[in-house]
Amino acid sequence: MNAVLSIGELSRASGLSVSALRFYDKAGVLAPHTVDPHSSYRRYTDQQVDAAVLLAAMRRVGMPVKEMTAVLSGTDPHALLDQHLCRLEQGLADARRELTRIHRLVDGRVERGGTVVVDADDLADAVASVRFAVDPKSEFPALRGIHLETDGDVLRLVATDRYRLAVAEIAAVHSPQKSIAVTVPSTFLTDAAPRLRRHGQVAVTVDARTVTLRCGEEEFVSEALDGVFPDHRSLSSAVPGTEATISATELRAVLAGRGERVDLGVLDSGSIVVGAQQRGFADPCRDRPVLFHVQVNAGFLLDAVAALPGDQLTFRFGGPIAPLAIRPRSVSSSASVSAYSLLMPLQPAALT
């Protein structure tokens, strides 16, 4: 004969509070063995202790009530537990990304200023590498500008319209004691860039809300733009996938007349295919499987290709919903500017 437990005894045996047991009774998850019609006292059997202990464990990890019921009923319990674990892991990943962004927002509230000195030609080249990704008509001031930030001995320039991202990095001749992070109008830098060339070094000074470029006898001053610049670091550091190298010249020829959208894919052989017909740059590879593919804006792609130095470019494919990363195939140790671009996918696309 099974022992009978009061709700208080089951609470102590399982770790669930009395109020939680009452809730699970009303929710139809764990009903008592009997309920006294006069006193409404709930009675449980000792065989229900295991179910209550399991409920307490699932409650601690935040499992939904509906799935708790399914686990107790034996409806594919391990699959349900694994699915909940995946949700928790995704939630943790999302929380880490958000907390990283919050850290940067907190840092951004601290008044930053100082001077970084770089080669004038390098700065002009860096501006030319990123300016195509600016959205001059955006309602958000930050997207109408180019973001400048120091990272150790590097000055980084970033521009984005949320559909594409361009990054250029140059070595600093002199680094500030405090980090610099400021967004300036793109027109300020693009107008100043040609006049910076062949002047040796340029000092970029951030003082309160003002940015000043000093190069020889030349001086250019601009107000910083309001608004928080998008969190480009988490995006640009998370581009997994497979790489393939293509010729910028051949790519431009293949894209001619293809319209606003283009499918790009990479075969297991490392060859690039363009469009639904899987036309390669040399020979058709119709019988080879496409490992990764993505659909992007053809005009944005051509802009990115034109902004990067050299003819050989490396594309990193991560799938139909992952950003497409583009960078020069090789950068010599003596190269002054390091640049790359990311293009956001338009929609999942399949090559047939």
Side-chain angles (χ1 to χ4, degrees):
M1 183 174 178
N2 296 327
V4 177
L5 289 76
S6 68
I7 192 171
E9 291 170 327
L10 182 60
S11 172
R12 290 189 291 273
S14 65
L16 283 172
S17 66
V18 170
S19 60
L21 287 169
R22 288 173 177 157
F23 168 78
Y24 290 130
D25 175 16
K26 293 179 180 179
V29 181
L30 182 63
H33 180 63
T34 61
V35 178
D36 189 294
H38 302 292
S39 63
S40 298
Y41 286 168
R42 295 171 172 84
R43 300 293 180 182
Y44 298 83
T45 68
D46 55 359
Q47 291 182 339
Q48 291 180 291
V49 172
D50 289 343
V53 169
L54 182 55
L55 270 179
M58 291 189 288
R59 179 186 178 92
R60 284 192 294 271
V61 296
M63 199 150 184
V65 171
K66 183 177 180 181
E67 294 183 10
M68 288 181 174
T69 305
V71 169
L72 290 180
S73 69
T75 306
D76 205 3
H78 295 294
L80 290 170
L81 294 171
D82 289 342
Q83 289 171 11
H84 185 62
L85 177 60
C86 288
R87 287 196 298 270
L88 292 175
E89 290 173 340
Q90 182 60 53
L92 179 59
D94 291 343
R96 282 179 174 146
R97 283 191 292 270
E98 188 63 18
L99 285 169
T100 298
R101 189 179 75 87
I102 292 170
H103 278 299
R104 290 172 184 151
L105 290 174
V106 169
D107 290 342
R109 298 182 67 187
V110 179
E111 195 67 41
R112 294 181 171 197
T115 298
V116 57
V117 179
V118 296
D119 183 88
D121 285 341
D122 290 351
L123 181 58
D125 288 341
V127 171
S129 295
V130 304
R131 62 187 179 189
F132 75 93
V134 173
D135 181 1
K137 298 180 180 179
S138 175
E139 62 179 306
F140 303 104
L143 300 188
R144 301 197 295 266
I146 294 176
H147 189 67
L148 304 177
E149 63 182 29
T150 54
D151 188 357
D153 294 330
V154 169
L155 174 63
R156 183 180 297 116
L157 285 75
V158 189
T160 182
D161 59 4
R162 296 190 184 274
Y163 300 100
R164 48 189 171 173
L165 173 78
V167 180
E169 297 179 345
I170 54 180
V173 178
H174 171 76
S175 302
Q177 292 183 342
K178 295 182 179 180
S179 297
I180 290 175
V182 65
T183 306
V184 296
S186 61
T187 51
F188 167 65
L189 289 178
T190 54
D191 290 346
R195 299 170 62 180
L196 296 176
R197 293 190 181 277
R198 297 180 299 278
H199 278 75
Q201 298 177 352
V202 57
V204 182
T205 300
V206 178
D207 183 10
R209 297 290 300 164
T210 302
V211 179
T212 304
L213 306 182
R214 293 186 180 89
C215 187
E217 299 299 321
E218 298 273 12
E219 181 174 286
F220 309 90
V221 181
S222 173
E223 291 293 316
L225 291 174
D226 293 326
V228 177
F229 195 79
D231 182 14
H232 64 93
R233 295 187 187 184
S234 60
L235 179 63
S236 58
S237 64
V239 185
T242 295
E243 292 186 347
T245 301
I246 61 176
S247 162
T249 301
E250 290 181 284
L251 178 60
R252 282 191 288 267
V254 172
L255 290 178
R258 282 189 175 267
E260 295 183 355
R261 296 168 176 256
V262 61
D263 286 320
L264 293 176
V266 59
L267 303 176
D268 59 354
S269 63
S271 300
I272 298 288
V273 291
V274 180
Q277 299 304 313
Q278 295 190 14
R279 292 176 56 191
F281 296 124
D283 300 317
C285 302
R286 300 176 186 276
D287 57 345
R288 301 297 295 274
V290 177
L291 297 180
F292 294 92
H293 58 82
V294 65
Q295 185 178 92
V296 295
N297 181 291
F300 289 175
L301 175 59
L302 289 172
D303 287 343
V305 169
L308 293 172
D311 187 64
Q312 295 296 310
L313 302 176
T314 295
F315 280 37
R316 177 170 280 269
F317 294 83
I321 61 174
L324 176 68
I326 313 169
R327 65 177 68 242
R329 178 180 180 180
S330 60
V331 179
S332 66
S333 58
S334 60
S336 302
V337 180
S338 173
Y340 66 91
S341 296
L342 297 180
L343 299 183
M344 301 302 108
L346 294 179
Q347 64 183 36
L351 297 177
T352 58

Coordinates of all heavy atoms in Angstrom, one line a residue, residues 127 131 134-136 143-146 184-191 225:
V127 N 40.0 56.4 -45.9 CA 38.7 57.0 -46.2 C 38.2 56.5 -47.5 O 37.0 56.2 -47.6 CB 38.9 58.6 -46.2 CG1 37.6 59.3 -46.7 CG2 39.3 59.1 -44.8
R131 N 34.2 54.9 -47.6 CA 33.2 55.9 -47.8 C 32.0 55.4 -48.6 O 30.9 56.0 -48.5 CB 33.8 57.1 -48.5 CG 34.3 56.8 -49.9 CD 35.1 58.0 -50.5 NE 35.6 57.7 -51.8 CZ 36.5 58.5 -52.5 NH1 36.8 59.7 -51.9 NH2 36.9 58.2 -53.6
V134 N 28.7 54.6 -46.6 CA 28.0 55.6 -45.8 C 26.6 55.8 -46.5 O 26.4 55.7 -47.7 CB 28.7 56.9 -45.9 CG1 27.9 58.1 -45.3 CG2 30.1 56.8 -45.1
D135 N 25.6 56.1 -45.6 CA 24.2 56.4 -46.1 C 24.0 57.9 -45.9 O 23.6 58.3 -44.8 CB 23.2 55.6 -45.4 CG 21.8 55.9 -45.9 OD1 21.6 56.7 -46.8 OD2 20.8 55.3 -45.4
P136 N 24.3 58.7 -46.9 CA 24.2 60.2 -46.7 C 22.8 60.7 -46.5 O 22.6 61.8 -46.0 CB 24.8 60.7 -48.1 CG 24.5 59.7 -49.1 CD 24.7 58.4 -48.3
L143 N 24.8 57.1 -39.2 CA 25.0 56.4 -40.4 C 25.4 57.3 -41.6 O 25.7 56.8 -42.7 CB 23.7 55.7 -40.8 CG 23.2 54.6 -39.8 CD1 22.0 53.9 -40.3 CD2 24.3 53.7 -39.4
R144 N 25.3 58.6 -41.4 CA 25.8 59.6 -42.4 C 27.2 59.9 -42.2 O 27.8 60.7 -43.0 CB 24.9 60.9 -42.3 CG 23.4 60.7 -42.5 CD 22.7 62.0 -42.8 NE 22.8 62.9 -41.7 CZ 21.9 63.1 -40.8 NH1 20.8 62.3 -40.8 NH2 22.0 64.0 -39.8
G145 N 27.9 59.3 -41.3 CA 29.3 59.6 -41.0 C 30.2 58.4 -41.1 O 29.8 57.3 -41.4
I146 N 31.5 58.7 -40.8 CA 32.5 57.7 -40.7 C 33.0 57.6 -39.2 O 33.3 58.7 -38.7 CB 33.7 58.0 -41.6 CG1 33.2 57.8 -43.1 CG2 34.8 57.0 -41.4 CD1 34.3 58.2 -44.1
V184 N 32.3 61.3 -37.4 CA 32.3 62.6 -38.0 C 31.6 62.5 -39.4 O 31.5 61.4 -40.0 CB 33.7 63.1 -38.2 CG1 34.4 63.3 -36.9 CG2 34.5 62.1 -39.1
P185 N 31.1 63.6 -39.9 CA 30.4 63.6 -41.2 C 31.3 63.0 -42.3 O 32.5 63.4 -42.3 CB 30.1 65.1 -41.4 CG 30.0 65.7 -40.1 CD 31.1 65.0 -39.3
S186 N 30.8 62.2 -43.1 CA 31.6 61.6 -44.1 C 32.2 62.7 -45.1 O 33.3 62.6 -45.6 CB 30.8 60.5 -44.9 OG 29.7 61.1 -45.5
T187 N 31.4 63.7 -45.3 CA 31.8 64.8 -46.2 C 33.0 65.5 -45.7 O 33.9 65.9 -46.5 CB 30.7 65.8 -46.5 OG1 30.2 66.2 -45.2 CG2 29.5 65.1 -47.3
F188 N 33.1 65.6 -44.4 CA 34.3 66.2 -43.8 C 35.6 65.5 -44.1 O 36.6 66.1 -44.6 CB 34.1 66.3 -42.3 CG 35.4 66.6 -41.5 CD1 36.0 67.9 -41.6 CD2 35.9 65.7 -40.6 CE1 37.1 68.2 -40.9 CE2 37.1 66.0 -39.9 CZ 37.7 67.2 -40.1
L189 N 35.5 64.2 -44.0 CA 36.7 63.4 -44.3 C 37.0 63.2 -45.8 O 38.1 63.3 -46.3 CB 36.6 62.0 -43.7 CG 36.7 61.9 -42.2 CD1 36.5 60.5 -41.6 CD2 38.1 62.5 -41.7
T190 N 35.9 63.1 -46.6 CA 36.1 62.9 -48.0 C 36.6 64.2 -48.7 O 37.4 64.2 -49.6 CB 34.9 62.4 -48.7 OG1 33.8 63.3 -48.4 CG2 34.5 61.0 -48.3
D191 N 36.2 65.3 -48.2 CA 36.7 66.6 -48.7 C 38.1 66.9 -48.3 O 38.9 67.4 -49.0 CB 35.8 67.8 -48.2 CG 34.4 67.7 -48.8 OD1 34.2 67.0 -49.8 OD2 33.5 68.4 -48.3
L225 N 29.2 63.9 -34.9 CA 27.8 63.6 -35.1 C 27.2 63.0 -33.8 O 27.9 62.3 -33.1 CB 27.7 62.6 -36.3 CG 28.0 63.1 -37.6 CD1 27.9 62.0 -38.7 CD2 27.0 64.2 -38.0

